[in-house]
Every structure is written in structure tokens, then in C-alpha cells.
Amino acid sequence: MFKTFLSRKFFSLLLSSSISILVISVLALSDSVIAGVMLGEDAVMAICLVVPAYSLAGFGACVVALGIPILYNRAMGEFNKEKADRCFAFGLFMAVVMGLILYTVFMLFGDAYLRFYEPSTSVFNAAKDYFFWYKYTILLLPIMTLMDEMVLADGDETLSMVSGIVQIVGNIVCSIVLAKFVGIEGIGFGSFIGTLVALLVAFAHLLRKGNSLKLGFYFSFKWLVDVVKYSAIDAGTYLFLACFTAAMNRFITFAYGPEMLVLGAVILFVKEIQIVFDGVGEAFTPLMNIYLGEESYDAVKKCYNLSLKTAVVEGLALTLLMIFVAPFIVELYDISDPAVYSYAVLGVRIEVFGLVFLSLLYLLSSYYLLIDKIKLGFVMSALRDVLVVTPVCVVLGYFFGIYGMFAGVAIGPALTYVITVLYIRFRYGKDNYPLLLSEKLKGFKHKFYEFKLNPESIVGTQHQVEKFLVENNIEQKTISKAKLLIEDLYMLIYEKNGVDKAVYAECTVIIRETGVQIITKDDGVLFDLSSEDVIAGSIIEFMVSGYMEKLKENKKYLTTMSYNRNTFRIKYEA
């Protein structure tokens, strides 16, 4: 599974992206757990009231941040570095502006928001104390989200993972220590400290060799529309989660009484954890954007199939894990009433049966965003997170009690998945599901190859390319040039990295109207194959340097996601 360039890069990104995407959820959940263990049920309920506001802030942060890496990688896929730099500069500007807007809104209307739930006096006062410092965390949230996404998009998955871990661990440690001295206000302050330190870690990427991100500020109304458009689906997750949480809090208070509000925290735990499934989409997004920009559709298919298998495995694994650890999760909330405790434990075990369907829905919505089916992806997210699951929970909860409410959390995603698949198959054709690429593939001729670099695999790839070009009646001179280019390029990469180093590569060959395009990628040492100024230290290096001089403007090199990427165009002879 890990023996191709694509799979190695995908799974390398998966861990980092999963940690990064979980940060917002883990911050809220860890605060609830710390409050339950150290301060009691009132503190848990107080934090539960603030969580929808934090999810709403997460929506605001994501709506100006998540579209940036998509546009950035698309520009890099087109070998347009200037456009990519403007994209990052625009993201920095909007992240600062959005942070100030969110902070101001919650400063002015925070108390009114908390009173909406009609909490007891003690819960209201605790929520107000906690919210005081959390406003500063919200101030940093947009810029933190942007930097996490961009560090990952630039291929530094290790630093992205470290930043996420620092934020989570820093929040937990600081919150525990400060809660001992100043109570629930200390938990809010601890979250702010953890976020600030993690932001500094993320900015360290700018000092890294191979970093392609350039600081600056840029604004354009057109870009604002594009960024919001591409951020809408993933950002909507936090908006819909906020709506779902607020609705369930009100329903629980109405149907079962304020003393049962802690069940809302239990439901929220599983709903927050589900965001880990978006890590698969986060992992394939930079890769998929590059392939889409190149028009390497065979690679798109391989990337999607790998992501699909991963999504199913993640869904099943998390389902089994949550069934096993349900009692331990509930104990963290310090529920003293045995009846409520029993409801909560069985409730967790019931609601997790919808996780596999949630994982598949996250995958589909992430993919449709990348191919500009944004309305489809957005509606899918709304159905998944609020429009279907909320009424199902309310109806089942009203007629069948607390367990019916928990069952609604599981049934909602399954029902949404069925509705989605049926609609897409009917609307676009069953043979076109799920990738919707049939129109792009009509008359489009290309091949995608992946291999571990060694002389045998290079020659094997060369022969496969020759066969593909012959089958499509390409002239012999062009075929000979393509064969020579592929052999010499990859042999030079093999030579540069040494015999003992495992290097994985890809090659995409596209038949264009004016010539044959060859796109190469490898995860070896960073080296510009297209340069004409390389000092020849070997026969192969001399041959490649001479060949690059002949290609002139029909070649480009761009470090992308910290790996080598080149494109060459061999024009047909008149």
C-alpha cells in the first residue's frame, strides 16, 4: 500500500491532516473533559453552551482559510508561482480581518448569546468566565487555521503535525494547571496559550529550505468570492455543527429537562470526533488539485480509490473503538446520576453506527468541491450535519425517548448517504458516479505511470510510453524523443540520489494537439532537471543538460509540496 509515490505521500499527509482537522474539535472536547474531571457538571454544561459559538467561529475561520490551499495548489499545478504567491498573501490578509471581526462580534453579543439557552445562574456565570479568554483564542483561530492548511499544502506534513500536537497538548496542560488556581476561566486561558504557541511553530515553516510560501498582503474582491466558494463545504461543517448542537441543546432541555443537558455534551463528543474523517479529504486535496491541474485523470482515479478504501477503514475502526471506550468517555463528564450515566453509555454505542456513512459522505463532499461541484458538495454537507439528522433525532427522540434521539444520530447519515447516491446516479448517470469525469475524458488521451526508480523500472516505463504513443499513431521522431527524455531524466534522478536510496516517481504522458506533454514527479533530492546551467558531472547529466537547451521554453520546473515536479512538451515536427 505504501510502495508508490502517491500512496507514500497520501499516507504521510493523512496523519498530519487528521491531527490538523481535529484541533478545533479537540480543543472544545478537551475543555469539557477537564471541566468534568476538575470542576463538575455545571462547568461541563457551561462549556457546552459556548461550543456552538466556537463552532461558528470555526466556520468564520475556515471560510477565509480552507479555499486558499485549493487555489494555491491549483496555481502550482499550472506552474504559476506568481499567482500562488498572491493567493497566500490574500489568505493572510483575510485571516487577520476575520479574526478581528469574530472577536468584536463576541465581545458585543457574547452575553446575549449565552442567555438564549436560559441556563441557571451558576451555569451562566461559569460560561461567561470561560468565554472571556476564549474570545482571544477565537481572535487567533483564522490565522492558525490558514497556517496549518498552508504548511500542509506546501508539503511540510511533519511541522503541520507538530503544530497541531503543540496546540492540543499545550491547551490540555495549561488548562489543567490554570484550572487549579482560577477555575473555569483558567481553562479558557489555557486554550489561548496553546493556540498562540502552535501559531509560532507553524510560522517556523517560512524558515525551512524548500519553503514556497512568501509573506505579503493582497486583496481582491474576485479572489474573495473564489475563496469563499471553495471554502464553503468544509467551513459549512462547523456552521452546521453549531446549528445541530444548538438545536439539540434546546430539544434536550425542552423534552427531558435541564438536568439532562449533559447528554448534549455526550452527543457532541461523537459529532466532534466525526470531523477526523475530513482528514482523508484534507490529505488528498493537495494531491488531487495537482493532478486535476495537470489533467492527469488516471492519477485522479487512483487517488480517489485509495482515499475511498481509507475512508471505509477509518469509519469501521472508529466505530469499534467508540463501542469499546464508551464507558470511559462518559466517566470523563463526571455524571453522578446512575440513570443518566446508563443513558449516556448506551447512547454513545448506538450513535456510532452511522460513522462509516459519515466517512463516505465527507469523502464525496471533499471531492466534489475540487471539481467545482460546489453546490452539490455544500448541500451534501448540510444534509449530513443538520438538515436530515436534526429532524430525525427530534422525531425519534420525541416518540421513543432518549435512546430514540441517539438512534437518530446514527440513522441520519445513513439516510443522507442513500439520498445522495441515488440523486447523483440519477442526475449524472450511474456510469459517471462518483468521479463525474466522463465529459473531460471524451477524446482525451493520456497515461499515468508510477514506479520505484531503478534501471529496470525506468526501461519498463519507457517501453510502456512507447507502446501508448504507437497505439495513438504518434510520429516516430516524437516517440524517439519521448523515449530518450524519459530514460535520461529518470536515470539522472536515480544517479543523483544514489543506488541505496529508495526514490519513488510518477510519469504522466498526455497527447496534445501540438505535441506530447510529459510530466514527471519524484520524491528524491530537490534538483531542477530543466536547468540548462547544470555543471555536467556525468555523461547522463551532460546529455540531459544538452536536451534541456534544445527544449528552450517548452519546459518548466517547480518544487511542489516539497517534491520535484517538471513538465516538458515535445512538439510535433511540421
Side-chain angles (χ1 to χ4, degrees):
M1 183 176 286
F2 295 93
K3 294 184 179 179
T4 66
F5 177 93
L6 170 59
S7 59
R8 283 161 59 89
K9 197 65 181 175
F10 172 78
F11 286 110
S12 175
L13 289 166
L14 180 62
L15 179 60
S16 301
S17 60
S18 297
I19 291 175
S20 175
I21 205 72
L22 269 176
V23 166
I24 292 177
S25 299
V26 170
L27 286 178
L29 292 175
S30 63
D31 286 358
S32 297
V33 171
I34 292 168
V37 172
M38 301 184 67
L39 304 175
E41 283 186 57
D42 278 359
V44 173
M45 288 187 280
I47 291 176
C48 191
L49 296 184
V50 175
V51 166
Y54 186 56
S55 296
L56 189 61
F59 165 75
C62 290
V63 83
V64 297
L66 298 186
I68 299 297
I70 293 174
L71 295 172
Y72 183 88
N73 283 125
R74 188 168 292 182
M76 295 290 274
E78 298 166 355
F79 289 87
N80 191 336
K81 183 64 168 64
E82 184 180 347
K83 182 179 178 181
D85 288 341
R86 288 201 306 271
C87 180
F88 179 56
F90 175 80
L92 287 173
F93 176 77
M94 288 308 303
V96 172
V97 171
M98 180 57 74
L100 292 171
I101 291 173
L102 290 170
Y103 176 79
T104 303
V105 168
F106 287 120
M107 278 291 291
L108 295 175
F109 303 108
D111 287 0
Y113 160 77
L114 294 175
R115 290 194 180 94
F116 166 77
Y117 295 105
E118 300 178 359
S120 65
T121 302
S122 59
V123 171
F124 173 79
N125 289 332
K128 188 176 178 179
D129 290 342
Y130 172 72
F131 208 9
F132 175 80
W133 278 107
Y134 226 78
K135 296 184 186 81
Y136 294 96
T137 303
I138 289 170
L139 175 66
L140 298 179
L141 190 57
I143 190 73
M144 184 73 245
T145 303
L146 175 70
M147 287 305 301
D148 266 347
E149 294 294 321
M150 292 306 300
V151 169
L152 189 64
D154 202 35
D156 196 350
E157 53 267 29
T158 300
L159 187 64
S160 175
M161 181 171 61
V162 169
S163 175
I165 292 173
V166 166
Q167 189 172 7
I168 293 170
V169 174
N171 168 60
I172 293 172
V173 172
C174 292
S175 294
I176 290 173
V177 172
L178 293 170
K180 292 181 179 180
F181 297 100
V182 290
I184 196 169
E185 190 173 345
I187 297 177
F189 187 37
S191 298
F192 170 70
I193 294 173
T195 301
L196 179 61
V197 175
L199 180 60
L200 296 176
V201 172
F203 268 106
H205 173 75
L206 301 178
L207 305 176
R208 179 178 178 268
K209 181 182 179 181
N211 156 57
S212 68
L213 303 179
K214 305 300 179 185
L215 287 175
F217 286 101
Y218 179 80
F219 180 76
S220 163
F221 282 108
K222 181 182 180 301
W223 278 53
L224 179 60
V225 173
D226 288 342
V227 168
V228 171
K229 180 175 70 174
Y230 286 107
S231 299
I233 294 176
D234 288 334
T237 296
Y238 296 99
L239 175 63
F240 302 143
L241 184 60
C243 294
F244 173 77
T245 305
M248 294 312 299
N249 284 344
R250 287 290 290 175
F251 174 72
I252 290 170
T253 303
F254 167 77
Y256 313 122
E259 66 278 4
M260 288 291 190
L261 191 58
V262 71
L263 294 178
V266 174
I267 291 175
L268 180 63
F269 184 94
V270 177
K271 294 298 288 183
E272 291 278 8
I273 287 295
Q274 77 179 42
I275 293 178
V276 71
F277 298 138
D278 205 24
V280 175
E282 289 284 314
F284 81 48
T285 289
L287 294 167
M288 196 75 83
N289 264 317
I290 298 298
Y291 293 137
L292 289 168
E294 296 170 348
E295 297 182 285
S296 182
Y297 298 119
D298 283 348
V300 169
K301 292 177 182 178
K302 284 181 177 288
C303 188
Y304 183 84
N305 289 333
L306 179 62
S307 303
L308 177 63
K309 294 174 184 177
T310 305
V312 172
V313 171
E314 273 198 357
L316 290 172
L318 191 57
T319 299
L320 295 174
L321 176 65
M322 296 295 285
I323 289 173
F324 177 73
V325 303
F328 304 101
I329 293 171
V330 175
E331 285 177 7
L332 293 174
Y333 290 100
D334 192 33
I335 298 175
S336 55
D337 188 325
V340 178
Y341 176 85
S342 298
Y343 280 132
V345 172
L346 185 54
V348 170
R349 287 172 170 163
I350 291 172
E351 64 178 316
V352 298
F353 280 99
L355 291 181
V356 173
F357 296 103
L358 281 168
S359 186
L360 293 172
L361 288 166
Y362 270 99
L363 176 65
L364 284 171
S365 62
S366 295
Y367 174 73
Y368 292 139
L369 168 66
L370 301 182
I371 62 170
D372 288 332
K373 299 293 183 183
I374 296 171
K375 291 180 181 178
L376 175 61
F378 187 80
V379 171
M380 282 177 58
S381 296
L383 291 171
R384 177 194 69 208
D385 292 329
V386 68
L387 295 182
V388 173
V389 68
T390 303
V392 171
C393 287
V394 170
V395 170
L396 293 181
Y398 183 80
F399 288 103
F400 300 102
I402 291 173
Y403 290 136
M405 176 183 66
F406 280 109
V409 181
I411 294 171
L415 185 58
T416 301
Y417 182 73
V418 171
I419 293 170
T420 299
V421 171
L422 290 177
Y423 171 77
I424 295 172
R425 284 175 175 265
F426 177 79
R427 173 69 176 81
Y428 299 100
K430 65 179 183 179
D431 295 333
N432 203 15
Y433 174 84
L435 297 180
L436 310 185
L437 291 176
S438 59
E439 289 298 318
K440 294 182 180 295
L441 291 173
K442 283 181 180 178
F444 187 76
K445 298 175 181 179
H446 78 298
K447 283 289 183 180
F448 171 73
Y449 309 95
E450 47 188 355
F451 49 99
K452 181 180 178 181
L453 279 187
N454 57 59
E456 294 77 16
S457 67
I458 294 170
V459 172
T461 301
Q462 182 193 48
H463 289 329
Q464 291 180 65
V465 171
E466 178 184 21
K467 180 181 178 183
F468 168 63
L469 295 178
V470 168
E471 288 173 349
N472 286 278
N473 301 314
I474 301 301
E475 59 189 21
Q476 188 57 47
K477 284 186 178 180
T478 302
I479 294 175
S480 297
K481 290 178 181 179
K483 287 175 61 182
L484 180 63
L485 179 65
I486 288 171
E487 180 178 1
D488 287 350
L489 285 177
Y490 285 111
M491 286 301 295
L492 178 57
I493 297 168
Y494 181 69
E495 180 183 271
K496 283 285 184 181
N497 286 276
V499 177
D500 298 328
K501 182 177 180 180
V503 178
Y504 293 82
E506 291 180 353
C507 178
T508 299
V509 180
I510 304 173
I511 298 176
R512 306 284 189 185
E513 288 185 7
T514 59
V516 174
Q517 183 181 9
I518 297 174
I519 301 171
T520 70
K521 300 187 190 75
D522 71 86
D523 59 5
V525 295
L526 295 178
F527 175 67
D528 184 357
L529 287 171
S530 68
S531 175
E532 302 169 21
D533 302 322
V534 176
I535 298 175
S538 67
I539 294 175
I540 295 176
E541 210 161 19
F542 176 77
M543 293 174 66
V544 170
S545 179
Y547 202 94
M548 292 305 106
E549 187 174 356
K550 292 179 181 178
L551 283 173
K552 297 181 180 178
E553 75 278 1
N554 295 308
K555 63 185 186 303
K556 284 184 181 179
Y557 169 81
L558 190 60
T559 304
T560 306
M561 295 178 63
S562 300
Y563 60 74
N564 293 301
R565 185 163 159 266
N566 297 269
T567 181
F568 308 94
R569 193 179 293 264
I570 304 172
K571 291 188 173 182
Y572 302 132
E573 295 192 8

